Amino acid sequence: MIQNPLRFFAHLADSQGLRAHLKLGSRNFYLINEPELIRDMLITQGAAFEKFPRIERTKGLFGEGLLTSEDPTHLRQRRLMQPAFQRERIAGYGRIMTRCTQTLMADWRDGQELEATEAMSRLTLEIVARSLFTTEAGDKAATIAHELEIVLKMLNQLVMPWGPLLLDLPLPASRRYRAALAKLDEIVYGVIDARLASGEERDDLLGMLLSARDADTGERMDRLQIRDEVMTIFVAGHETAANALAWTLYLLATNPDARTEMEAEISRVVGDRPPGPEDFPNLAYCQRVFSESMRMFPPVWILGRRALAPYVYGDFSAPKGSILLVCMAVLHRRAEFFPDPDRFWPDRWLEPTAPKFAYLPFGGGGRLCIGERYAWMEGVLCLANLAQRFRMELTAGNKVEPLGMLTLRPKNGLRVRLIARGE
Ligand code: HEM
């Protein structure tokens, strides 16, 4: 399980079926691949569970942010933050997405080799930094990227069983982690304090967080809570989107027919100008490509919930304290829901036949990804901007396979050669 959790969970489902059971020590784990049961646990009886693992150990970074907090803090924060992610706001972020992708490509040349996962990571960080702090981000994005990389490396270790030990030992890696956290705090608090001091109201994500008021109590978030939410958005909104893009580029490189169809749609809908948020509804094939990519390689590949009381659903029951796992990387490839599941076939989304809770790249229920709309816009616009100008082909010897850490990423990276289009 530790060496290759993905293969382990796939095997468990194959051998035991849609409700697999596993006992580790005194703890009961259930791997659920049954859509109606998943709906029940995430929505109908969602309040009877808490998130698992409780990411206490990583709280140094996220604090009581939306990803890690539980009710009542979570509910209050969710209400306060929802407006920042509403439909009307997404077009504004879309313009940032287009601009950042165009800037990234300005240095790209025909024939150049590129590590695509790194490039996508840089791109999505730049996008989230500019969505959060429109103007201050410019000079800070590179420092934030550097410090976040150190922090994320450590986070991948902290969620492992030996994780708690690491922070207690005087290891160079834990010292670097603390130093990187301190630097990130300095930057984020610096921007928050400068905004508060200036009294300026800006139309970006940070501006929304600073001005959000609880509809009932009129209360605002304090400085610490804003810091926690900013860090949460930085991490939740950048790693996931970067991996979603990287996997899509891989699938397009290995499925030339889909790539040709996508290029044709982009030139039909957009022509030669850079694709922008107004094009999103018309880029239907690009949307299907992105859906299909997140089916095959869901960036958040597993989620877990712990039962706060004995859980019963029909003839299924689990004792209090049981952990219910939904492994999207396995669920999305079950042949009973997705025929020919290992085939990249965007048009299966023309008339989807799978039950609703057989596909959940963004989770579901009260903890559904708050950035889902943002992520759709980002996925489609970045892909359309990239595909309009460049094709990518895999370099020889690059063996691409998934590695399930905090997110699902290409284990050995993704080395590609750029081919400029129309040259
Ligand atoms: C393709 C990109 C993305 C994917 C696949 C993704 C996936 C997910 C999933 C599966 C969850 C639920 C986890 C659980 O229930 O245990 C989640 C939660 C969350 N996501 Fe995303 N996400 C993406 C992009 C984003 C973006 C762009 C943002 C912000 C700008 C974001 C912010 C969050 C936050 C704050 C939560 C916690 C929500 C809560 O618990 O109320 N995500 N995401």
Side-chain angles (χ1 to χ4, degrees):
M1 179 160 82
I2 289 173
Q3 271 176 3
N4 193 336
L6 267 178
R7 193 175 317 146
F8 176 82
F9 286 124
H11 175 71
L12 200 63
D14 284 343
S15 57
Q16 289 193 33
L18 300 185
R19 305 164 173 183
H21 179 222
L22 176 73
K23 202 155 169 104
L24 288 180
S26 59
R27 195 172 263 178
N28 287 295
F29 285 83
Y30 297 87
L31 177 69
I32 307 294
N33 279 293
E34 195 178 309
E36 282 311 310
L37 211 167
I38 295 172
R39 179 203 298 273
D40 187 73
M41 115 194 201
L42 291 179
I43 297 192
T44 319
Q45 300 197 55
F49 292 91
E50 65 174 14
K51 280 185 84 160
F52 174 85
R54 292 225 43 200
I55 323 184
E56 231 87 52
R57 282 170 252 153
T58 60
K59 286 208 168 176
L61 178 64
F62 300 125
E64 283 291 317
L66 206 58
L67 201 60
T68 36
S69 59
E70 292 287 343
D71 288 340
T73 306
H74 175 263
L75 196 63
R76 185 194 68 218
Q77 286 307 112
R78 183 92 196 187
R79 281 212 314 240
L80 280 171
M81 289 172 64
Q82 206 80 49
F85 292 93
Q86 266 161 3
R87 196 182 300 278
E88 312 78 70
R89 319 252 347 146
I90 302 295
Y93 306 135
R95 283 186 279 281
I96 295 175
M97 293 159 188
T98 293
R99 222 172 24 245
C100 290
T101 316
Q102 291 293 331
T103 307
L104 173 76
M105 290 187 297
D107 296 335
W108 287 6
R109 298 288 170 261
D110 184 46
Q112 181 186 335
E113 280 195 16
L114 188 79
E115 182 14 75
T117 46
E118 274 171 21
M120 292 305 103
S121 191
R122 228 174 311 129
L123 172 62
T124 58
L125 186 85
E126 188 78 30
I127 290 173
V128 82
R130 288 186 186 276
S131 307
L132 268 164
F133 328 135
T134 9
T135 48
E136 301 94 333
D139 51 328
K140 298 191 173 68
T143 321
I144 294 173
H146 177 71
E147 306 302 338
L148 263 186
E149 198 178 310
I150 298 171
V151 168
L152 287 176
K153 224 177 247 166
M154 189 66 167
L155 278 188
N156 273 309
Q157 298 297 320
L158 289 179
V159 292
M160 296 293 164
W162 57 86
L165 275 178
L166 293 176
L167 289 184
D168 295 337
L169 298 173
L171 301 169
S174 26
R175 270 201 302 273
R176 273 199 302 273
Y177 171 75
R178 283 185 224 284
L181 264 187
K183 183 84 200 162
L184 284 174
D185 269 350
E186 188 187 312
I187 296 174
V188 170
Y189 276 132
V191 177
I192 296 173
D193 290 344
R195 285 274 184 104
L196 287 171
S198 73
E200 193 184 341
E201 287 196 7
R202 237 183 257 150
D203 197 24
D204 51 18
L205 257 170
L206 179 64
M208 295 287 293
L209 297 182
L210 286 167
S211 63
R213 278 174 188 276
D214 188 293
D216 299 332
T217 62
E219 250 180 276
R220 292 182 183 218
M221 288 180 229
D222 62 22
R223 185 173 169 269
L224 175 62
Q225 188 69 43
I226 289 180
R227 173 257 177 231
D228 289 349
E229 299 301 4
V230 167
M231 293 292 189
T232 298
I233 291 171
F234 260 127
V235 176
H238 133 253
E239 269 271 297
T240 45
N243 283 305
L245 284 170
W247 284 117
T248 315
L249 295 177
Y250 164 70
L251 288 163
L252 289 169
T254 47
N255 291 275
D257 290 350
R259 180 181 64 197
T260 308
E261 186 151 355
M262 188 167 140
E263 289 168 358
E265 179 182 78
I266 297 165
S267 68
R268 196 172 59 247
V269 170
V270 185
D272 291 336
R273 63 176 170 78
E278 64 286 2
D279 300 312
F280 179 88
N282 301 320
L283 292 169
Y285 191 74
C286 293
Q287 292 182 31
R288 295 205 288 283
V289 163
F290 197 54
S291 303
E292 181 68 345
S293 163
M294 288 192 293
R295 181 186 70 78
M296 296 186 72
F297 298 104
V300 176
W301 62 282
I302 190 162
L303 56 83
R305 298 289 188 267
R306 188 197 330 253
L308 297 168
Y311 172 64
V312 180
Y313 170 77
D315 60 353
F316 175 82
S317 62
K320 176 179 172 185
S322 299
I323 313 295
L324 273 65
L325 299 171
V326 179
C327 181
M328 289 85 108
V330 171
L331 175 69
H332 291 180
R333 297 235 192 178
R334 296 291 302 181
E336 57 269 65
F337 308 130
F338 302 99
D340 204 356
D342 295 333
R343 174 176 167 216
F344 177 67
W345 178 29
D347 281 347
R348 74 169 78 237
W349 296 99
L350 272 174
E351 284 175 26
T353 51
K356 186 154 186 289
F357 281 78
Y359 179 72
L360 50 162
F362 294 99
R367 316 254 0 186
L368 177 77
C369 175
I370 201 169
E372 179 174 356
R373 275 205 194 99
Y374 182 107
W376 274 105
M377 182 61 87
E378 187 174 21
V380 168
L381 281 191
C382 293
L383 284 173
N385 276 278
L386 293 169
Q388 187 186 49
R389 303 233 344 248
F390 288 94
R391 285 186 169 178
M392 295 184 191
E393 62 183 28
L394 299 186
T395 56
N398 185 178
K399 187 164 177 276
V400 179
E401 51 182 295
L403 173 71
M405 302 285 279
L406 271 180
T407 51
L408 190 71
R409 52 169 77 166
K411 184 172 171 190
N412 309 307
L414 183 65
R415 283 210 71 78
V416 297
R417 180 171 302 101
L418 298 173
I419 302 166
R421 294 187 58 216
E423 283 187 10

